[in-house]
Amino acid sequence: YVLNGVSFKLNKGDKLSILGINGAGKTTIIKLMLGFYKINSGEILINGYPMTDYSMKDIRKMFTVLFQNFVQFPLTLRENIALSCLEQKDNDEKIIIALKQSRIYKECENFKNGLDTYMTREFDDEGVEMSKGQWQKIALSRAYFKNADIVIFDEPSSALDAGAEDKIFQNFASLSDNKTGIMISHRISSARLSNKVIVLDDGKIVESGTHNELIALDGLYAKLYNLQREKYVMKEEDCNKKIKKSF
């Protein structure tokens, strides 16, 4: 089994971080919640009722998700953003707000055909070619555009620079109280933005609590956090040494 005995509860407005090493089952939890996989045993409840009581269409309306393996659609910028909420595809103002939230608007505002510029030259010689980091920002805009009740980020910053990454975490932390957020990130420090943290190891929840509670526990979470913090400190020290040498 990928997951074994995993159980937790989310209330409306909670911000949850799911942490663990690669292969621990983090993304599997998200895909089960979205109905991509069927569970072999146990159940998932929504407002106290089994997930199977709801239509899959209604379930997925509740979520907006950015997976790390996002899709680069050979469509226009407008269509790439509005795919998450097609009934709003002609709402230019809402599309621009989503682009600004993901910090890609400045790179798109001067496109020759505006929001109707193709994001590839495959179908239009006037189309544009974007970097992987830019595509990730477009995928992030698509997630913001839907404006669903539950926002899920699965490694949302794998191809982004530090500034864009910090912006994602700021947006996650500032989600309004009536929205629920779930974050899977390689940046352990991002868990400080959440009021709930669960740590997975070999398909099981081995620790749960707040950032401060898990640091005090001095278990797997504290170990991963301190290892990553030491790595960033060492990088900063090396950078400072190089700057001093250059002068």
Side-chain angles (χ1 to χ4, degrees):
Y1 291 105
V2 176
L3 299 171
N4 187 5
V6 169
S7 181
F8 62 93
K9 182 178 180 179
L10 272 180
N11 295 313
K12 187 174 184 179
D14 278 344
K15 307 297 181 288
L16 170 70
S17 286
I18 305 176
L19 303 170
I21 62 173
N22 290 340
K26 304 184 294 295
T27 298
T28 299
I29 288 177
I30 301 306
K31 291 184 176 180
L32 285 166
M33 292 173 66
L34 295 170
F36 293 166
Y37 300 155
K38 291 184 178 180
I39 56 177
N40 298 103
S41 61
E43 59 184 354
I44 299 174
L45 303 178
I46 301 174
N47 294 329
Y49 296 95
M51 183 175 173
T52 50
D53 287 0
Y54 297 82
S55 73
M56 197 54 60
K57 183 177 180 180
D58 286 339
I59 288 172
R60 290 179 183 162
K61 279 184 178 179
M62 302 176 189
F63 297 91
T64 183
V65 189
L66 174 63
F67 285 112
Q68 54 184 313
N69 54 339
F70 55 89
V71 179
Q72 301 174 198
F73 295 100
L75 304 170
T76 65
L77 178 60
R78 176 190 304 281
E79 291 163 340
N80 263 284
I81 306 304
L83 277 172
S84 61
C85 186
L86 281 173
E87 59 267 27
Q88 291 288 318
K89 68 180 178 65
D90 295 321
N91 190 332
D92 290 14
E93 182 181 358
K94 188 176 178 181
I95 292 174
I96 290 171
I97 289 172
L99 291 168
K100 287 180 176 178
Q101 281 183 292
S102 63
R103 299 183 69 170
I104 189 68
Y105 178 67
K106 287 185 178 179
E107 297 162 61
C108 301
E109 63 178 333
N110 294 320
F111 285 168
K112 185 175 180 179
N113 294 315
L115 296 177
D116 296 307
T117 300
Y118 272 92
M119 308 310 292
T120 174
R121 294 194 179 97
E122 186 174 353
F123 304 119
D124 188 341
D125 290 339
E126 294 183 346
V128 296
E129 298 291 344
M130 310 291 279
S131 69
K132 187 174 182 181
Q134 290 171 321
W135 268 112
Q136 190 162 27
K137 290 178 182 178
I138 289 171
L140 183 60
S141 298
R142 184 159 59 240
Y144 287 139
F145 185 74
K146 187 176 181 181
N147 195 31
D149 291 332
I150 305 173
V151 180
I152 301 177
F153 293 148
D154 181 4
E155 297 287 5
S157 58
S158 57
L160 300 182
D161 57 67
E165 184 181 54
D166 284 339
K167 183 65 176 178
I168 290 176
F169 296 143
Q170 290 170 24
N171 287 346
F172 180 78
S174 63
L175 287 174
S176 57
D177 291 337
N178 64 339
K179 287 187 181 293
T180 303
I182 302 174
M183 172 80 79
I184 298 173
S185 174
H186 65 281
R187 277 270 300 271
I188 308 297
S189 60
S190 68
R192 290 180 296 180
L193 305 174
S194 302
N195 67 306
K196 291 185 178 181
V197 181
I198 62 175
V199 184
L200 292 174
D201 188 28
D202 195 26
K204 299 177 181 178
I205 295 178
V206 293
E207 295 173 8
S208 63
T210 65
H211 167 78
N212 290 335
E213 288 170 347
L214 295 182
I215 289 294
L217 188 63
D218 198 25
L220 179 58
Y221 177 87
K223 179 182 177 181
L224 293 173
Y225 177 79
N226 289 323
L227 281 172
Q228 195 169 89
R229 185 176 63 174
E230 287 172 10
K231 183 178 72 173
Y232 281 118
V233 169
M234 288 176 65
K235 281 185 176 180
E236 186 176 346
E237 288 176 349
D238 288 342
C239 183
N240 289 335
K241 286 178 182 178
K242 289 178 181 178
I243 291 172
K244 287 179 181 179
K245 283 183 180 180
S246 67
F247 288 100

mmCIF file of all heavy atoms in Angstrom, residues 114-137:
data_model
loop_
_atom_site.group_PDB
_atom_site.id
_atom_site.type_symbol
_atom_site.label_atom_id
_atom_site.label_comp_id
_atom_site.label_asym_id
_atom_site.label_seq_id
_atom_site.Cartn_x
_atom_site.Cartn_y
_atom_site.Cartn_z
ATOM 1 N N GLY A 114 -2.220 40.321 -27.291
ATOM 2 C CA GLY A 114 -2.753 40.395 -25.943
ATOM 3 C C GLY A 114 -3.058 39.028 -25.344
ATOM 4 O O GLY A 114 -2.278 38.087 -25.480
ATOM 5 N N LEU A 115 -4.212 38.925 -24.688
ATOM 6 C CA LEU A 115 -4.603 37.677 -24.049
ATOM 7 C C LEU A 115 -4.896 36.566 -25.061
ATOM 8 O O LEU A 115 -4.955 35.392 -24.699
ATOM 9 C CB LEU A 115 -5.847 37.899 -23.174
ATOM 10 C CG LEU A 115 -5.675 38.835 -21.974
ATOM 11 C CD1 LEU A 115 -7.002 39.013 -21.247
ATOM 12 C CD2 LEU A 115 -4.616 38.307 -21.014
ATOM 13 N N ASP A 116 -5.069 36.956 -26.330
ATOM 14 C CA ASP A 116 -5.374 35.964 -27.366
ATOM 15 C C ASP A 116 -4.121 35.523 -28.130
ATOM 16 O O ASP A 116 -4.207 34.966 -29.222
ATOM 17 C CB ASP A 116 -6.427 36.519 -28.324
ATOM 18 C CG ASP A 116 -7.756 36.778 -27.623
ATOM 19 O OD1 ASP A 116 -8.259 35.836 -26.979
ATOM 20 O OD2 ASP A 116 -8.262 37.912 -27.687
ATOM 21 N N THR A 117 -2.961 35.761 -27.546
ATOM 22 C CA THR A 117 -1.700 35.293 -28.115
ATOM 23 C C THR A 117 -1.532 33.805 -27.855
ATOM 24 O O THR A 117 -1.747 33.332 -26.732
ATOM 25 C CB THR A 117 -0.519 36.050 -27.484
ATOM 26 O OG1 THR A 117 -0.669 37.449 -27.756
ATOM 27 C CG2 THR A 117 0.811 35.557 -28.029
ATOM 28 N N TYR A 118 -1.165 33.069 -28.888
ATOM 29 C CA TYR A 118 -0.918 31.635 -28.703
ATOM 30 C C TYR A 118 0.382 31.426 -27.936
ATOM 31 O O TYR A 118 1.373 32.120 -28.154
ATOM 32 C CB TYR A 118 -0.846 30.920 -30.052
ATOM 33 C CG TYR A 118 -2.203 30.453 -30.543
ATOM 34 C CD1 TYR A 118 -2.984 31.269 -31.364
ATOM 35 C CD2 TYR A 118 -2.702 29.216 -30.163
ATOM 36 C CE1 TYR A 118 -4.239 30.851 -31.799
ATOM 37 C CE2 TYR A 118 -3.950 28.785 -30.595
ATOM 38 C CZ TYR A 118 -4.709 29.607 -31.414
ATOM 39 O OH TYR A 118 -5.950 29.200 -31.838
ATOM 40 N N MET A 119 0.373 30.435 -27.032
ATOM 41 C CA MET A 119 1.540 30.157 -26.212
ATOM 42 C C MET A 119 2.462 29.130 -26.872
ATOM 43 O O MET A 119 3.158 28.364 -26.203
ATOM 44 C CB MET A 119 1.086 29.654 -24.826
ATOM 45 C CG MET A 119 0.077 30.560 -24.158
ATOM 46 S SD MET A 119 0.598 32.302 -24.138
ATOM 47 C CE MET A 119 1.966 32.211 -23.015
ATOM 48 N N THR A 120 2.453 29.110 -28.174
ATOM 49 C CA THR A 120 3.306 28.233 -28.967
ATOM 50 C C THR A 120 3.277 28.741 -30.404
ATOM 51 O O THR A 120 2.337 29.441 -30.796
ATOM 52 C CB THR A 120 2.816 26.772 -28.920
ATOM 53 O OG1 THR A 120 3.596 25.981 -29.809
ATOM 54 C CG2 THR A 120 1.357 26.675 -29.349
ATOM 55 N N ARG A 121 4.283 28.388 -31.165
ATOM 56 C CA ARG A 121 4.274 28.727 -32.592
ATOM 57 C C ARG A 121 3.786 27.548 -33.431
ATOM 58 O O ARG A 121 3.829 27.591 -34.655
ATOM 59 C CB ARG A 121 5.682 29.142 -33.037
ATOM 60 C CG ARG A 121 6.152 30.443 -32.397
ATOM 61 C CD ARG A 121 7.380 31.017 -33.097
ATOM 62 N NE ARG A 121 7.794 32.269 -32.472
ATOM 63 C CZ ARG A 121 8.755 32.360 -31.556
ATOM 64 N NH1 ARG A 121 9.402 31.272 -31.191
ATOM 65 N NH2 ARG A 121 9.077 33.522 -31.025
ATOM 66 N N GLU A 122 3.305 26.530 -32.737
ATOM 67 C CA GLU A 122 2.838 25.333 -33.431
ATOM 68 C C GLU A 122 1.664 25.634 -34.345
ATOM 69 O O GLU A 122 1.545 25.061 -35.431
ATOM 70 C CB GLU A 122 2.438 24.269 -32.398
ATOM 71 C CG GLU A 122 2.076 22.914 -32.985
ATOM 72 C CD GLU A 122 1.822 21.867 -31.917
ATOM 73 O OE1 GLU A 122 2.051 22.147 -30.721
ATOM 74 O OE2 GLU A 122 1.390 20.761 -32.277
ATOM 75 N N PHE A 123 0.769 26.547 -33.932
ATOM 76 C CA PHE A 123 -0.425 26.869 -34.712
ATOM 77 C C PHE A 123 -0.453 28.310 -35.199
ATOM 78 O O PHE A 123 -1.360 28.702 -35.932
ATOM 79 C CB PHE A 123 -1.688 26.588 -33.884
ATOM 80 C CG PHE A 123 -1.775 25.180 -33.373
ATOM 81 C CD1 PHE A 123 -1.808 24.931 -32.014
ATOM 82 C CD2 PHE A 123 -1.806 24.103 -34.241
ATOM 83 C CE1 PHE A 123 -1.881 23.637 -31.526
ATOM 84 C CE2 PHE A 123 -1.884 22.807 -33.768
ATOM 85 C CZ PHE A 123 -1.917 22.573 -32.414
ATOM 86 N N ASP A 124 0.497 29.112 -34.759
ATOM 87 C CA ASP A 124 0.497 30.534 -35.109
ATOM 88 C C ASP A 124 1.933 31.045 -35.090
ATOM 89 O O ASP A 124 2.611 30.975 -34.057
ATOM 90 C CB ASP A 124 -0.358 31.309 -34.100
ATOM 91 C CG ASP A 124 -0.562 32.769 -34.502
ATOM 92 O OD1 ASP A 124 0.216 33.271 -35.333
ATOM 93 O OD2 ASP A 124 -1.485 33.401 -33.963
ATOM 94 N N ASP A 125 2.375 31.579 -36.220
ATOM 95 C CA ASP A 125 3.749 32.077 -36.307
ATOM 96 C C ASP A 125 4.004 33.243 -35.361
ATOM 97 O O ASP A 125 5.154 33.553 -35.033
ATOM 98 C CB ASP A 125 4.067 32.518 -37.744
ATOM 99 C CG ASP A 125 4.173 31.338 -38.698
ATOM 100 O OD1 ASP A 125 4.390 30.211 -38.197
ATOM 101 O OD2 ASP A 125 4.030 31.539 -39.923
ATOM 102 N N GLU A 126 2.931 33.911 -34.911
ATOM 103 C CA GLU A 126 3.077 35.023 -33.979
ATOM 104 C C GLU A 126 2.954 34.570 -32.522
ATOM 105 O O GLU A 126 2.906 35.393 -31.611
ATOM 106 C CB GLU A 126 2.050 36.106 -34.280
ATOM 107 C CG GLU A 126 2.271 36.784 -35.641
ATOM 108 C CD GLU A 126 1.291 37.902 -35.903
ATOM 109 O OE1 GLU A 126 0.273 37.982 -35.159
ATOM 110 O OE2 GLU A 126 1.528 38.705 -36.817
ATOM 111 N N GLY A 127 2.897 33.265 -32.322
ATOM 112 C CA GLY A 127 2.840 32.730 -30.970
ATOM 113 C C GLY A 127 4.158 32.943 -30.249
ATOM 114 O O GLY A 127 5.155 33.338 -30.855
ATOM 115 N N VAL A 128 4.170 32.719 -28.934
ATOM 116 C CA VAL A 128 5.377 32.929 -28.130
ATOM 117 C C VAL A 128 5.829 31.600 -27.525
ATOM 118 O O VAL A 128 5.040 30.677 -27.354
ATOM 119 C CB VAL A 128 5.126 33.955 -27.000
ATOM 120 C CG1 VAL A 128 4.798 35.312 -27.578
ATOM 121 C CG2 VAL A 128 4.009 33.478 -26.070
ATOM 122 N N GLU A 129 7.116 31.527 -27.250
ATOM 123 C CA GLU A 129 7.676 30.355 -26.586
ATOM 124 C C GLU A 129 8.092 30.773 -25.178
ATOM 125 O O GLU A 129 8.812 31.747 -25.001
ATOM 126 C CB GLU A 129 8.890 29.822 -27.361
ATOM 127 C CG GLU A 129 8.563 29.349 -28.775
ATOM 128 C CD GLU A 129 7.722 28.083 -28.803
ATOM 129 O OE1 GLU A 129 7.645 27.405 -27.749
ATOM 130 O OE2 GLU A 129 7.139 27.782 -29.868
ATOM 131 N N MET A 130 7.618 30.034 -24.192
ATOM 132 C CA MET A 130 7.868 30.384 -22.791
ATOM 133 C C MET A 130 8.837 29.403 -22.152
ATOM 134 O O MET A 130 8.938 28.239 -22.562
ATOM 135 C CB MET A 130 6.547 30.376 -22.005
ATOM 136 C CG MET A 130 5.415 31.165 -22.646
ATOM 137 S SD MET A 130 5.712 32.934 -22.622
ATOM 138 C CE MET A 130 5.208 33.332 -20.953
ATOM 139 N N SER A 131 9.541 29.863 -21.114
ATOM 140 C CA SER A 131 10.419 28.988 -20.347
ATOM 141 C C SER A 131 9.564 28.128 -19.409
ATOM 142 O O SER A 131 8.374 28.396 -19.204
ATOM 143 C CB SER A 131 11.401 29.814 -19.520
ATOM 144 O OG SER A 131 10.715 30.508 -18.485
ATOM 145 N N LYS A 132 10.184 27.110 -18.812
ATOM 146 C CA LYS A 132 9.440 26.252 -17.890
ATOM 147 C C LYS A 132 8.943 27.048 -16.693
ATOM 148 O O LYS A 132 7.820 26.851 -16.213
ATOM 149 C CB LYS A 132 10.310 25.092 -17.419
ATOM 150 C CG LYS A 132 9.536 24.072 -16.579
ATOM 151 C CD LYS A 132 10.364 22.855 -16.247
ATOM 152 C CE LYS A 132 9.547 21.851 -15.445
ATOM 153 N NZ LYS A 132 10.330 20.659 -15.072
ATOM 154 N N GLY A 133 9.780 27.973 -16.204
ATOM 155 C CA GLY A 133 9.369 28.798 -15.077
ATOM 156 C C GLY A 133 8.181 29.680 -15.412
ATOM 157 O O GLY A 133 7.271 29.858 -14.596
ATOM 158 N N GLN A 134 8.169 30.234 -16.624
ATOM 159 C CA GLN A 134 7.038 31.053 -17.062
ATOM 160 C C GLN A 134 5.777 30.213 -17.200
ATOM 161 O O GLN A 134 4.685 30.646 -16.828
ATOM 162 C CB GLN A 134 7.385 31.744 -18.377
ATOM 163 C CG GLN A 134 8.432 32.837 -18.238
ATOM 164 C CD GLN A 134 8.906 33.361 -19.581
ATOM 165 O OE1 GLN A 134 9.088 32.608 -20.543
ATOM 166 N NE2 GLN A 134 9.111 34.677 -19.663
ATOM 167 N N TRP A 135 5.935 29.000 -17.723
ATOM 168 C CA TRP A 135 4.784 28.103 -17.844
ATOM 169 C C TRP A 135 4.215 27.762 -16.467
ATOM 170 O O TRP A 135 3.006 27.642 -16.300
ATOM 171 C CB TRP A 135 5.181 26.830 -18.589
ATOM 172 C CG TRP A 135 4.965 26.884 -20.064
ATOM 173 C CD1 TRP A 135 5.900 26.897 -21.051
ATOM 174 C CD2 TRP A 135 3.687 26.934 -20.741
ATOM 175 N NE1 TRP A 135 5.300 26.953 -22.291
ATOM 176 C CE2 TRP A 135 3.950 26.968 -22.131
ATOM 177 C CE3 TRP A 135 2.358 26.950 -20.306
ATOM 178 C CZ2 TRP A 135 2.932 27.024 -23.080
ATOM 179 C CZ3 TRP A 135 1.342 27.001 -21.248
ATOM 180 C CH2 TRP A 135 1.641 27.038 -22.623
ATOM 181 N N GLN A 136 5.100 27.597 -15.488
ATOM 182 C CA GLN A 136 4.611 27.280 -14.150
ATOM 183 C C GLN A 136 3.807 28.442 -13.579
ATOM 184 O O GLN A 136 2.798 28.239 -12.898
ATOM 185 C CB GLN A 136 5.771 26.931 -13.222
ATOM 186 C CG GLN A 136 5.306 26.369 -11.882
ATOM 187 C CD GLN A 136 6.382 25.636 -11.145
ATOM 188 O OE1 GLN A 136 7.567 25.906 -11.319
ATOM 189 N NE2 GLN A 136 5.997 24.692 -10.305
ATOM 190 N N LYS A 137 4.209 29.663 -13.885
ATOM 191 C CA LYS A 137 3.455 30.832 -13.439
ATOM 192 C C LYS A 137 2.088 30.891 -14.127
ATOM 193 O O LYS A 137 1.097 31.300 -13.523
ATOM 194 C CB LYS A 137 4.234 32.112 -13.716
ATOM 195 C CG LYS A 137 5.467 32.291 -12.840
ATOM 196 C CD LYS A 137 6.214 33.563 -13.204
ATOM 197 C CE LYS A 137 7.479 33.730 -12.383
ATOM 198 N NZ LYS A 137 8.248 34.934 -12.752
#
